[in-house]
Short mmCIF file of all heavy atoms in Angstrom, two decimals:
data_model
loop_
_atom_site.label_atom_id
_atom_site.label_comp_id
_atom_site.label_asym_id
_atom_site.label_seq_id
_atom_site.Cartn_x
_atom_site.Cartn_y
_atom_site.Cartn_z
N MET Y 1 0.85 -1.17 0.05
CA MET Y 1 0.01 -0.05 0.06
C MET Y 1 0.84 1.29 -0.03
O MET Y 1 1.88 1.30 0.69
CB MET Y 1 -0.89 -0.04 1.20
CG MET Y 1 -1.80 1.25 1.32
SD MET Y 1 -2.80 1.21 2.87
CE MET Y 1 -3.94 -0.10 2.51
N ASN Y 2 0.47 2.27 -0.70
CA ASN Y 2 1.13 3.52 -0.82
C ASN Y 2 1.28 4.13 0.55
O ASN Y 2 0.19 4.27 1.24
CB ASN Y 2 0.41 4.40 -1.74
CG ASN Y 2 1.18 5.75 -1.91
OD1 ASN Y 2 1.29 6.57 -1.05
ND2 ASN Y 2 1.67 5.84 -3.19
N PRO Y 3 2.36 4.50 1.15
CA PRO Y 3 2.56 4.96 2.49
C PRO Y 3 1.64 6.29 2.63
O PRO Y 3 1.11 6.52 3.78
CB PRO Y 3 3.97 5.37 2.63
CG PRO Y 3 4.70 4.50 1.62
CD PRO Y 3 3.73 4.35 0.48
N THR Y 4 1.57 7.11 1.60
CA THR Y 4 0.73 8.33 1.69
C THR Y 4 -0.70 8.03 2.01
O THR Y 4 -1.31 8.62 2.83
CB THR Y 4 0.85 9.14 0.43
OG1 THR Y 4 2.20 9.57 0.29
CG2 THR Y 4 0.07 10.44 0.52
N LEU Y 5 -1.28 7.02 1.27
CA LEU Y 5 -2.61 6.69 1.34
C LEU Y 5 -2.83 5.92 2.73
O LEU Y 5 -3.89 6.07 3.41
CB LEU Y 5 -3.09 5.73 0.25
CG LEU Y 5 -3.14 6.43 -1.17
CD1 LEU Y 5 -3.62 5.43 -2.23
CD2 LEU Y 5 -4.17 7.64 -1.03
N LYS Y 6 -1.86 5.26 3.21
CA LYS Y 6 -1.94 4.56 4.43
C LYS Y 6 -2.09 5.54 5.66
O LYS Y 6 -2.82 5.44 6.58
CB LYS Y 6 -0.69 3.66 4.74
CG LYS Y 6 -0.70 2.92 5.96
CD LYS Y 6 0.40 1.98 6.15
CE LYS Y 6 0.46 1.29 7.50
NZ LYS Y 6 1.53 0.38 7.57
N ASN Y 7 -1.22 6.55 5.55
CA ASN Y 7 -1.25 7.62 6.48
C ASN Y 7 -2.54 8.36 6.48
O ASN Y 7 -3.13 8.78 7.50
CB ASN Y 7 -0.12 8.73 6.34
CG ASN Y 7 1.27 8.01 6.61
OD1 ASN Y 7 1.38 7.07 7.41
ND2 ASN Y 7 2.32 8.54 5.94
N GLY Y 8 -3.16 8.43 5.16
CA GLY Y 8 -4.44 9.14 5.07
C GLY Y 8 -5.50 8.34 5.71
O GLY Y 8 -6.43 8.86 6.28
N ASP Y 9 -5.45 6.97 5.63
CA ASP Y 9 -6.37 6.12 6.34
C ASP Y 9 -6.39 6.30 7.79
O ASP Y 9 -7.43 6.37 8.46
CB ASP Y 9 -6.09 4.60 5.98
CG ASP Y 9 -6.40 4.24 4.48
OD1 ASP Y 9 -7.27 4.98 3.91
OD2 ASP Y 9 -5.75 3.45 3.97
N ILE Y 10 -5.18 6.41 8.35
CA ILE Y 10 -4.95 6.58 9.85
C ILE Y 10 -5.50 7.96 10.21
O ILE Y 10 -6.18 8.16 11.23
CB ILE Y 10 -3.54 6.41 10.16
CG1 ILE Y 10 -3.11 5.00 9.93
CG2 ILE Y 10 -3.43 6.75 11.70
CD1 ILE Y 10 -1.61 4.77 10.15
N ALA Y 11 -5.22 8.89 9.36
CA ALA Y 11 -5.68 10.36 9.64
C ALA Y 11 -7.23 10.41 9.60
O ALA Y 11 -7.89 11.04 10.39
CB ALA Y 11 -5.08 11.27 8.73
N SER Y 12 -7.77 9.71 8.58
CA SER Y 12 -9.26 9.63 8.43
C SER Y 12 -9.93 9.05 9.65
O SER Y 12 -10.89 9.54 10.18
CB SER Y 12 -9.64 8.86 7.17
OG SER Y 12 -11.03 8.82 7.04
N LEU Y 65 -6.25 -2.29 7.28
CA LEU Y 65 -4.76 -2.23 7.02
C LEU Y 65 -4.05 -3.53 7.16
O LEU Y 65 -3.05 -3.84 6.54
CB LEU Y 65 -4.02 -1.13 7.97
CG LEU Y 65 -4.43 0.27 7.86
CD1 LEU Y 65 -3.84 1.10 8.96
CD2 LEU Y 65 -3.89 0.75 6.38
#
Side-chain angles (χ1 to χ4, degrees):
M1 179 183 292
N2 186 293
T4 302
L5 292 179
K6 181 178 180 179
N7 293 335
D9 292 332
I10 297 174
S12 177
L65 288 171

